[in-house]
Amino acid sequence: MRKFLYKILVTGGAGFIGSEFVRHSVSRGLEVIVLDKLTYAGDLERLKGVKGKYKFYQVDICAKKQINYILAKERPRILVNFAAETHVDRSIKNASAFIKANIEGVHVLLEASLKHKVKKFIQISTDEVYGEIKEGKFTEQSPLKPNSPYAASKAAADLFIGSYIRTHGLPAIIIRPCNNYGPWQYPEKLIPLAVLKILRKEKIPVYAAGKNIREWLYVEDCIKGVLRIIEKGKTGEIYNLGSQQERQNIEVVKFLLHILKKRQDLIAFVKDRPGHDLRYSLDSSKVFKETGWKAKLNFKDGLRVTVEWFVGHRDWLLSKR
Ligand code: NAD
């Protein structure tokens, strides 16, 4: 009989980053339970490579009864929460789903984790909770000043988790990664959207003059960081997970056009996103000091691998929009 290292419950495991985490965890010999509502952003196709090697429940993290039933039945040692509404533009149009999934859903998971004595609760937060920074870097002590409804919902969840750590002694860790990119990302985010537009020979929308700066982390590096924090991180702590690879949006799009050998006049500058943060930048020295994790792939190599993957999975990409 197969012997597992430990049992881990992954919420949002059919999403972009969650599925990368599931694929790696399965190959590391963990017993993986995936829980996902399968919103427009969730897709089990991402897990076809590990089919039969994980258990799946289609559930909303807000469904208290079902969540408690699953935790009582499965008794996972670790719960990693990737489940969330994640697109800033959608949160600007209507924040309701964000409040539900990202705050109420997290509350349900916190209560259930306490009740069923989960040994480690890992929340995947975001660098966006800090707001923008024109110079310097955010540390884990920087104040939370979220600017979009998405970021505000994630910050609210972090505050809730902090209160459960302090008040109820919940063994939780908050991880704040910067912008992820890589295979299987849904084409509403900058990189897969731009690739999709290029493949369709359509104009690529870029907000304002494209000067907004993001720190870009290859998704495999990100989940290796998450796994390292699960193994070596301290409960009650927050860890930034950055790559030190900052790029302006316009540079990213120009590089994509260069990789795909297309002309720069495919770029269409559009009206800026309301409240658009100019720059995010993380100080990730804590995670390196405490766990030895550092992002490996540089942005240009990561982008080449990503584009190659999307071209090879053109049908999947084009089926999404
Ligand atoms: P995604 O949108 O690709 O996937 C989210 C997944 O959660 C989907 O499978 C969806 O079906 C599921 N989901 C949504 N609401 C749910 C609910 N109520 N109950 C159960 N499942 C639900 O997102 P992603 O890009 O993979 O992001 C994963 C996590 O990482 C999120 O918490 C996000 O805030 C965080 N994060 C993402 C980035 C990034 O660049 N993508 C950066 C930092 C942090």
Side-chain angles (χ1 to χ4, degrees), residues 33 36 119 123 127 129 135 157 163 179 188 214 227 231 233 248 264 275 291 299 310 314:
I33 316 293
D36 200 295
K119 295 280 180 297
Q123 169 71 356
D127 58 356
V129 296
E135 279 169 27
S163 78
N179 264 42
E188 61 188 352
R214 298 292 178 263
L227 281 161
E231 285 156 22
Q248 288 186 342
Q264 311 267 316
T291 75
F299 184 63
F310 277 122
R314 192 190 171 99

Side-chain angles (χ1 to χ4, degrees), residues 49-116:
V50 289
K51 206 172 172 199
K53 295 185 175 156
Y54 66 93
K55 196 163 170 182
F56 178 69
Y57 292 93
Q58 184 172 359
V59 183
D60 187 330
I61 55 168
C62 301
K64 198 170 158 184
K65 250 188 165 168
Q66 284 166 287
I67 295 293
N68 274 291
Y69 168 79
I70 295 166
L71 261 73
K73 185 166 172 227
E74 300 291 349
R75 302 226 148 264
R77 197 175 134 80
I78 293 166
L79 189 158
V80 191
N81 180 34
F82 290 93
E85 288 291 336
T86 61
H87 192 43
V88 173
D89 290 343
R90 286 178 189 259
S91 80
I92 293 169
K93 286 196 188 104
N94 185 353
S96 304
F98 290 73
I99 295 166
K100 270 219 146 309
N102 302 0
I103 307 175
E104 290 178 27
V106 168
H107 178 233
V108 168
L109 295 178
L110 291 174
E111 283 290 331
S113 297
L114 273 181
K115 187 168 172 188
H116 300 286

Side-chain angles (χ1 to χ4, degrees), residues 211-273:
K211 301 283 184 207
N212 303 69
I213 295 171
R214 298 292 178 263
E215 187 176 351
W216 291 98
L217 177 62
Y218 190 64
V219 65
E220 187 183 348
D221 271 336
C222 177
I223 64 90
K224 283 184 176 164
V226 173
L227 281 161
R228 190 73 69 84
I229 291 168
I230 291 174
E231 285 156 22
K232 300 193 166 170
K234 294 191 199 90
T235 52
E237 294 291 322
I238 299 170
Y239 295 93
N240 286 344
L241 216 55
S243 63
Q244 325 292 322
Q245 314 257 330
E246 294 181 27
R247 296 286 185 283
Q248 288 186 342
N249 288 346
I250 190 67
E251 288 177 75
V252 175
V253 173
K254 282 185 176 169
F255 192 56
L256 285 171
L257 288 164
H258 168 75
I259 296 173
L260 286 161
K261 299 189 175 59
K262 296 287 184 256
R263 292 205 329 261
Q264 311 267 316
D265 61 6
L266 271 183
I267 298 171
F269 293 104
V270 298
K271 191 169 171 267
D272 205 0
R273 165 192 278 167

Side-chain angles (χ1 to χ4, degrees), residues 11-19 35-43 46 59-62 81-87 100-102 105 123-128 150 154 176-181 184-186 188-189 216:
T11 55
F16 162 51
I17 309 179
S19 65
L35 193 156
D36 200 295
K37 182 180 174 182
L38 298 181
T39 66
Y40 76 95
D43 188 350
R46 294 186 174 109
V59 183
D60 187 330
I61 55 168
C62 301
N81 180 34
F82 290 93
E85 288 291 336
T86 61
H87 192 43
K100 270 219 146 309
N102 302 0
Q123 169 71 356
I124 308 302
S125 177
T126 166
D127 58 356
E128 301 192 29
Y150 160 69
K154 296 293 288 186
R176 296 186 177 141
C178 61
N179 264 42
N180 272 234
Y181 70 101
W184 296 112
Q185 189 168 27
Y186 189 85
E188 61 188 352
K189 311 282 163 62
W216 291 98

